Structure formats: structure tokens, C-alpha cells
Amino acid sequence: MAELDVELPPEVPQAHLVLIDPSEFRPEHRDVQLFRNYIDSPLQERVERTYRAMHAGQTVQFVQDRLAHWGKFDHARLSMLQVIKALDNLVDEADPDTDLPNSMHAFQTAERIRERHPDKEWLILTGLIHDTGKILRLYGEEMWATVGDTYPVGCAPRNSIVFGKSSFSGNPDLSHPVYSTELGMYSRHCGLDALTMSWGHDEYLYRVLQHNGHKLPEAALSIIRYHSFYPWHSGGDYRDFHNPATDDEKLKWVQAFSQFDLYSKSEELPDVQALLPYYSGLIDKYLPSVLSW
């Protein structure tokens, strides 16, 4: 296995931090013969603790604070390949017996898309970069505000959210006269882009790209921003906010992408260094050479 050979500047945090993405344990996406589930997993306690911390802490005020903090884009100046390499410092506790670098998952996802859609360069690149927002964790963000399923804040939680509505019992927004209602601070069929999503790597990468400029199509931004919004694209919830005129296309691409993201980890490991010229070319075509994070 040839790993990604990219030099990181000394200011990038080098400490190995635990990162478990609880979205990987959603039961409706698990083949029980191949994948763990979050119900009887030995990591159940940690997964549940992560979600309960998320559901208690992700309030409207918290998200606004995070948007202000990370929206300064003053934490690092790094190329996309440097960020992918930096994610190797995040240890996925969901796979304690593997030394597979996180960067390998990025290339596995991209290569699976490339096999099926060799003509869609933008989609291949989206597969490569979709998790790079997890660099949040390296720069001090809480794990429950970096990974996991996303959902709108400012309205009542829905049934398909992992661990259910009862897991929000510590969230003060449930006592708010507006935020605790079904529609909350939104209007019916307002469209997904009008929602304030819980804070995590999806929203962060979306905003990084918007801030720095890019040449990706809208479908790529939809995948990046909503690929962890499982209660919507897999659970069928929050459709009262769904605007068919703008969101049907989003749903089509996010659902199509999900099959590549969830099931891309395998024993077939790409030779990353051999692939580097191709993916460097894609990055150069669609993204700035260096981005502010």
C-alpha cells in the first residue's frame, strides 16, 4: 500500500486524536455480514454518548457561535492534498484493529465513483474531498460538533434521528416557544438552503469552498453540505421543509453519492502515489492551489 506522500507544514497539529464517526453505525445502511451496527456494537456506549452530547449541545446559539468562529477562516492555509494527509492524524476508533489511513478512504471513495462515472470529474473530486471538513477536530472542535448525522436546529427533532427525540432532553431549545415547534423558525417548503444545519464537517467544508472560490457545480455543493443529513435523504423526515423546485435535484445526487461513501472501505487499497497526478489535476481544475481554513 502506497500512502499519500505529501509534506505538511510544521504548524499543522500532529497529535493523534480519536475520531469516531457515528454515522457509520446507522442500521439502515449496514450489511450485517460486513458492517457493524450501532445497536449491538462494542462501541455502542461511545456512539450513544457522542450523539447525546450532540443532541444536547447543538442549539441555535451554538451553531451561530461556531459559524462566527470558523467563518473567520484564519486557522490554516493549506492545499486540499495537505488537508487530506492531515486527516491521517485522526484515529478512527470504529476500526481499532486497522492502520488504514483516513486519506485512503478518500481515495477509495473517489475511485469507486471513477469506476462508475469516469466522465463526471466533479463527482470524483467530490468523493475525494467530502470529508476534509473533519480537520475541524485537529484544530480543537468537539467530536460531536465534527462528525455524525446532521439535522436542522431551530425546530423540533424528528423521529428518524438516531436515539430518537428523547436524546434531546438536555437541549435548552426544546423549551423555546418557537424552536420547540414542528416548523420552528422556518416556513413550510422553505427549501433546504434556508435551514440552519447542526454544526459539523459538512457545513464547514461547504463554507470553506464558498469563501475560497471554486469551480464545482451546485450538485457537488449539495453532496458536500447534506451527505450527513441522513434523517432527510434516508429517513424521509423534514420533507415539510423540502422544496421540490430546488431540493429534488439535491436529493437525487446526495442519495446517489451515499452508496459510494458508505461502502467504499474495502481490502482493495489504491496506489495513492500512482493516482496522485490524476487527482492533482482535478484539484487544480476545480479548486484554488491553497485554501484558507
Side-chain angles (χ1 to χ4, degrees):
M1 177 183 67
E3 297 182 12
L4 181 59
D5 184 14
V6 173
E7 185 175 351
L8 295 177
E11 61 268 21
V12 174
Q14 298 297 311
H16 284 246
L17 299 175
V18 168
L19 182 78
I20 177 174
D21 191 341
S23 291
E24 296 183 1
F25 292 82
R26 290 188 64 89
E28 65 267 32
H29 295 291
R30 301 292 84 184
D31 179 334
V32 295
Q33 301 301 317
L34 299 174
F35 297 96
R36 299 184 181 93
N37 63 73
Y38 76 88
I39 296 175
D40 57 9
S41 164
L43 292 169
Q44 155 104 19
E45 182 180 349
R46 186 173 183 87
V47 171
E48 184 169 353
R49 187 165 65 247
T50 298
Y51 271 118
R52 291 191 181 279
M54 175 196 302
H55 295 167
Q58 293 270 7
T59 64
V60 173
Q61 184 62 57
F62 174 81
V63 174
Q64 290 173 346
D65 288 346
R66 296 295 84 194
L67 288 170
H69 175 75
W70 293 102
K72 298 173 184 176
F73 306 104
D74 59 357
H75 288 81
R77 291 274 296 164
L78 299 169
S79 72
M80 186 56 74
L81 283 175
Q82 285 176 321
V83 172
I84 292 172
K85 178 62 177 178
L87 293 183
D88 287 347
N89 289 326
L90 298 175
V91 180
D92 186 355
E93 197 179 75
D95 293 304
D97 299 321
T98 182
D99 58 358
L100 185 67
N102 276 298
S103 60
M104 192 62 67
H105 172 59
F107 283 95
Q108 284 181 323
T109 303
E111 283 294 282
R112 283 202 65 197
I113 296 172
R114 188 181 178 189
E115 289 173 5
R116 293 277 298 276
H117 302 286
D119 58 324
K120 291 184 172 59
E121 291 183 335
W122 66 266
L123 185 59
I124 297 167
L125 180 60
T126 301
L128 182 73
I129 70 173
H130 73 284
D131 273 346
T132 53
K134 291 179 181 179
I135 196 174
L136 285 168
R137 181 75 173 129
L138 281 180
Y139 285 91
E141 188 57 273
E142 296 284 354
M143 184 161 61
W144 55 264
T146 302
V147 295
D149 298 8
T150 59
Y151 51 88
V153 296
C155 62
R158 304 298 167 87
N159 291 324
S160 67
I161 291 182
V162 172
F163 296 111
K165 295 180 180 179
S166 63
S167 62
F168 287 77
S169 59
N171 190 309
D173 282 359
L174 263 62
S175 301
H176 191 280
V178 175
Y179 303 158
S180 60
T181 63
E182 196 76 358
L183 291 179
M185 60 185 189
Y186 311 110
S187 58
R188 194 174 300 277
H189 302 304
C190 59
L192 263 64
D193 290 347
L195 303 178
T196 298
M197 299 298 295
S198 56
W199 180 249
H201 71 278
D202 307 53
E203 187 69 20
Y204 180 53
L205 178 58
Y206 166 78
R207 290 177 180 267
V208 165
L209 294 175
Q210 294 293 74
H211 172 76
N212 286 276
H214 60 87
K215 297 179 181 178
L216 290 166
E218 282 298 315
L221 297 180
S222 297
I223 291 168
I224 287 166
R225 196 176 195 184
Y226 300 116
H227 70 271
S228 298
F229 190 8
Y230 287 98
W232 167 68
H233 67 71
S234 296
D237 273 334
Y238 296 101
R239 295 302 168 88
D240 43 355
F241 299 137
H242 185 105
N243 185 329
T246 57
D247 296 336
D248 280 356
E249 189 74 2
K250 290 183 177 68
L251 183 60
K252 179 187 79 172
W253 283 111
V254 173
Q255 288 178 332
F257 177 79
S258 184
Q259 62 180 306
F260 299 108
D261 184 25
L262 285 164
Y263 299 109
S264 61
K265 292 182 179 178
S266 70
E267 295 181 357
E268 297 181 14
L269 303 179
D271 185 341
V272 171
Q273 286 305 121
L275 295 171
L276 204 52
Y278 172 76
Y279 284 101
S280 294
L282 288 189
I283 291 171
D284 291 344
K285 182 175 181 177
Y286 289 97
L287 303 177
S289 57
V290 179
L291 301 95
S292 297
W293 297 84

